Amino acid sequence: MGCFTFVKVMMFLFNFLIFVGGAALLAVGIWVSVDGGSFLKVLGPFSSQAMQFVNVGFFCIAVGAVLVLLGFLGCCGAQKESKCLLLMFFAIILIIFIAEVAAGVVALAYSSFAESILKAWATPALQTQYGKDDVVTKIWNSTMTELKCCGFTNYTDFTNSYYYNSHGNSYPPTCCRALNATCTQSDAQQSDVQGCFEQLLSTLKKNANIVGGIAAGICLLEVAAMFVSMYLYCHLDKNIR
């Protein structure tokens, strides 16, 4: 078996696994988005931990769809020896790689800018959707419970919000350290529960080695995928008989 044939077979097998994994993730994402209740019943005792996953069903669908597309392009490109499909595969991987690098640079070098962007998205949701929209409410409840935080910045994100006005001028229970029936402004102020953005940054810093290792591994896989696709692309003409 020549080098070209070996790389072609490995390209096909690797992308077939990506395709299968993406299809499974896509199916689960659709399942939890359409009928999250039955999904939680299947998990049984693990249902509380799964709530985080259920709340990001649409994210799973998006990631699964991208993986299915990449797997399909990679498999067909290698099997059919199609320059067009291999080039499309390379282009998509390159776009994802550039987006990840750009996001990482912005997050590290311009953390205050990233915070302002996230705050511009999060604050209106907390003001108008929390307590009204089930999806937004579940996502924030899960986040605040898991991270032991309150709001994006702090409890003031809920002041005069839909939740605040419809619950007798009170804040979500997670904004108070003592789990009282109602969390008043004085209770929230005395509790001084940290905002979720700062708590998330603190958690990421504590696990910086793990996060960095995962990010580096993903980047290496993407670079390897681009290299292999370009190798096949450049050597196709030499292998045409």
Side-chain angles (χ1 to χ4, degrees):
M1 181 185 292
C3 182
F4 177 85
T5 304
F6 175 78
V7 172
K8 175 183 171 181
V9 172
M10 289 298 101
M11 175 82 170
F12 178 86
L13 292 177
F14 179 73
N15 282 281
F16 179 74
L17 293 177
I18 292 178
F19 179 85
V20 172
L25 187 61
L26 180 61
V28 172
I30 294 173
W31 181 11
V32 299
S33 297
V34 174
D35 189 13
S38 63
F39 179 77
L40 293 179
K41 289 180 181 178
V42 171
L43 292 180
F46 301 101
S47 59
S48 59
Q49 290 84 355
M51 280 303 298
Q52 288 285 350
F53 182 76
V54 173
N55 290 332
V56 292
F58 290 109
F59 176 76
C60 293
I61 292 174
V63 173
V66 172
L67 291 177
V68 166
L69 176 61
L70 285 174
F72 174 79
L73 291 175
C75 286
C76 291
Q79 179 65 27
K80 296 181 178 298
E81 298 187 358
S82 170
K83 279 192 165 186
C84 180
L85 294 178
L86 288 173
L87 190 59
M88 289 177 63
F89 176 85
F90 176 86
I92 294 175
I93 294 290
L94 180 61
I95 292 172
I96 294 174
F97 180 79
I98 293 175
E100 289 172 349
V101 172
V105 170
V106 170
L108 292 174
Y110 304 99
S111 58
S112 59
F113 177 67
E115 180 180 1
S116 63
I117 292 177
L118 291 173
K119 186 175 182 179
W121 164 80
T123 303
L126 292 174
Q127 283 285 314
T128 61
Q129 300 300 317
Y130 183 83
K132 180 189 296 184
D133 186 289
D134 289 339
V135 175
V136 173
T137 304
K138 287 180 179 179
I139 290 174
W140 275 102
N141 281 341
S142 298
T143 301
M144 292 189 293
T145 300
E146 292 294 327
L147 295 179
K148 296 180 175 58
C149 58
C150 173
F152 182 83
T153 304
N154 52 36
Y155 73 94
T156 58
D157 291 337
F158 294 100
T159 302
N160 295 323
S161 65
Y162 172 84
Y163 181 92
Y164 180 86
N165 294 326
S166 61
H167 286 75
N169 296 341
S170 65
Y171 296 88
T174 51
C175 294
C176 290
R177 297 193 185 278
L179 298 178
N180 301 323
T182 58
C183 179
T184 63
Q185 182 173 0
S186 59
D187 293 333
Q189 189 173 7
Q190 290 177 3
S191 297
D192 193 26
V193 178
Q194 196 173 34
C196 291
F197 181 77
E198 290 297 328
Q199 188 66 22
L200 180 61
L201 285 182
S202 176
T203 302
L204 289 176
K205 288 177 181 178
K206 290 180 182 178
N207 300 279
N209 292 335
I210 297 175
V211 175
I214 294 174
I218 292 174
C219 288
L220 286 175
L221 283 175
E222 290 171 344
V223 170
M226 287 189 289
F227 174 80
V228 171
S229 61
M230 275 294 98
Y231 174 85
L232 293 176
Y233 179 88
C234 295
H235 286 74
L236 279 178
D237 292 336
K238 297 179 182 179
N239 287 271
I240 295 176
R241 297 290 184 263

